[in-house]
Amino acid sequence: MKAHLHYDRHFTVSELDRRVFGSFIEHLGRAVYGGIFDPGHPTADENGFRRDVIDLITEMNVPVVRYPGGNFVSGYDWEDGVGPVGERPARLDLAWATVEPNTVGVNEFANWARAAKTEVMMAVNLGTRGPAEARDLIEYCNHPAGTRLSDLRRSHGVAEPHAFKLWCLGNEMDGPWQIGAKTATEYGRVAREAAKVMRWVDPSIELVACGSSNSKMATYASWEAEVLDHTYDQVEFLSLHTYYGNPDDDTANFLARNLDMDRFIKSVVAICDYVKAKKRSAKTINLSFDEWNVWFHSRGADQKRERWQEAPPLLEDIYTMEDALLVGAMLITLINNADRVKIACLAQLVNVIAPIMTETGGRAWRQTIFWPFAHASHWGRGTVLRPSVVAVDRHDTRDFTDVPAVETAAVLNEETGELALFIVNRDLKEAVETSISLGALKASRITQHHVLSDPDLKAVNTAAAPDRIAPRPGSGAAVETTAPGSTVTLRLAPASWTVVVLEVSGV
Ligand code: AHR
């Protein structure tokens, strides 16, 4: 099979916002307790946070982490998680039918984020609570001093404000499973009023309104339009969430699911711009794809679990090689939509549908999906170039037609003079002879070439075999330079993820 693609330095999508490589920690299962926080662990720091887990997160280069939920946030009283730990109440968490001890709250999480070199994307509860509690939380977190709540924070040992910049106005408020679910009218009104008072407390914040929980919701599209009708002038972003699975083991169909993600993004952009036109507004709403991943492996086990446990293993998907390929393809989709997707959060980060797994008190390791994320986050810096596909083999699957065998994204880093190519060959059987012409860019050498593939698409990493699926150095890629620029040729193994980084001139 063959693929021929063309990139041109002057045909760009946009600058890539680093925040598309965000992630998510919810008070859910073992994400916090037994995941990032494990005071008895040999690597725990003075605050009880696992250093080995922080090291893996640092390796993933995660610029922002959404917190504390998720469904959890819609029943959360943030006041339970501040002040002396011994005085904090344990509570029933109705979202996940567990017990929340409140040992970790907003101040502990801010400490953790500092240690993990990441920013906090804070969510407020618009399920059981409303604008008043949202403005209280932002006063507690972001106001310097001299008021009841800022001084309360200072009395809790946090002298400087956290200065959290990014705030989510609730979570999945259209979902019947959500505590305090709302109609678009109810949510739109509450979100607007919460946004107003939060911004009056701190005008420097950026706000995300909830879009639909996924594109299959009955109210999808009308929800977005109505919510934006109410909130357009008050928010910067609208959220999207999606999870994909392969429960019927149709891998060809599964590996095409990022095309659905692409369609979803483009439709939500269209809705945002429809409301923009309707309002004759000069402002553009961008997208926060703040939950995305593969999620299906753990659903059966979770249904059998006993209720009201503290930090039980929940949503602990063990990811396969093929999951890593779809995650790679989804990353490519997010990158290629960088003109409107400015924030995205891989959901989630540790233990719960996560690239990092831990044993409570024991080992930590990288799941298969860790690798495409870490690669894209590490080398995906700069300007996204617009792909133009000259020729590529295509096939049909159960739900998709004209599926290209190869997906690519190219990011040009003007500062370092490097061009990063991210490529998925989703053909399950055949290698693809690929040529990528770079317009007038001249490539002097290949500085990185990594490949993730395995003949067993169901292979996984475990505590005992943590590197069963790990990238290996690629070989055989070549650069040919004739006027006006270079062409890269390489053979993509069947069902593979590839990263090639080139040193380029003509930037
Ligand atoms: O990420 C797991 C859950 O998925 C989140 O709590 C919720 O927002 C979504 O339905």
Side-chain angles (χ1 to χ4, degrees), residues 24 26 70-71 96 171-172 177 243 291 295 315 348 353:
F24 178 26
E26 178 166 359
N71 297 341
W96 300 103
N171 176 71
E172 296 189 350
W177 59 87
Y243 296 97
E291 287 188 34
W295 174 15
L315 283 66
Q348 299 192 8
I353 43 175

Side-chain angles (χ1 to χ4, degrees), residues 103-304:
T103 316
V104 171
V106 64
N107 295 323
E108 289 81 17
F109 192 74
N111 278 339
W112 173 83
R114 206 166 304 114
K117 298 189 176 58
T118 191
E119 298 286 325
V120 178
M121 178 185 193
M122 198 66 197
V124 299
N125 173 358
L126 294 186
T128 57
R129 307 188 108 190
E133 295 86 356
R135 59 95 44 224
D136 282 356
L137 177 57
I138 197 163
E139 179 182 329
Y140 180 89
C141 292
N142 283 14
H143 194 71
T147 64
R148 181 172 70 89
L149 292 167
S150 56
D151 286 345
L152 181 66
R153 183 198 70 240
R154 290 165 66 86
S155 77
H156 294 155
V158 185
E160 293 304 313
H162 295 307
F164 298 144
K165 282 285 164 279
L166 211 45
W167 292 76
C168 301
L169 296 164
N171 176 71
E172 296 189 350
M173 298 307 306
D174 60 330
W177 59 87
Q178 202 67 214
I179 304 167
K182 295 185 169 36
T183 64
T185 319
E186 289 165 346
Y187 172 68
R189 294 275 305 126
V190 156
R192 184 178 72 190
E193 294 309 309
K196 257 168 50 183
V197 293
M198 289 168 74
R199 212 188 285 283
W200 286 342
V201 175
D202 182 351
S204 74
I205 58 174
E206 293 186 293
L207 289 163
V208 185
C210 290
S212 297
S213 299
N214 59 69
S215 61
K216 306 291 178 295
M217 299 298 291
T219 49
Y220 168 59
S222 62
W223 170 276
E224 277 73 3
E226 176 156 12
V227 165
L228 282 180
D229 240 341
H230 291 288
T231 58
Y232 203 89
D233 295 334
Q234 304 294 341
V235 304
E236 281 71 37
F237 304 97
L238 186 67
S239 76
L240 297 83
H241 292 179
T242 204
Y243 296 97
Y244 298 121
N246 187 15
D248 46 5
D249 201 14
D250 181 345
T251 299
N253 198 50
F254 174 64
L255 292 183
R257 292 231 175 265
N258 67 302
L259 301 181
D260 179 70
M261 184 190 213
D262 189 60
R263 213 160 39 203
F264 186 17
I265 291 170
K266 291 189 163 68
S267 305
V268 176
V269 166
I271 300 165
C272 292
D273 292 349
Y274 155 74
V275 182
K276 175 179 182 169
K278 202 171 142 201
K279 289 184 177 287
R280 280 90 177 152
S281 177
K283 173 179 174 184
T284 298
I285 298 288
N286 284 318
L287 308 191
S288 172
F289 214 126
D290 46 43
E291 287 188 34
W292 69 272
N293 203 347
V294 171
W295 174 15
F296 72 108
H297 297 284
S298 58
R299 287 194 192 262
D302 287 347
Q303 274 157 15
K304 297 189 203 110

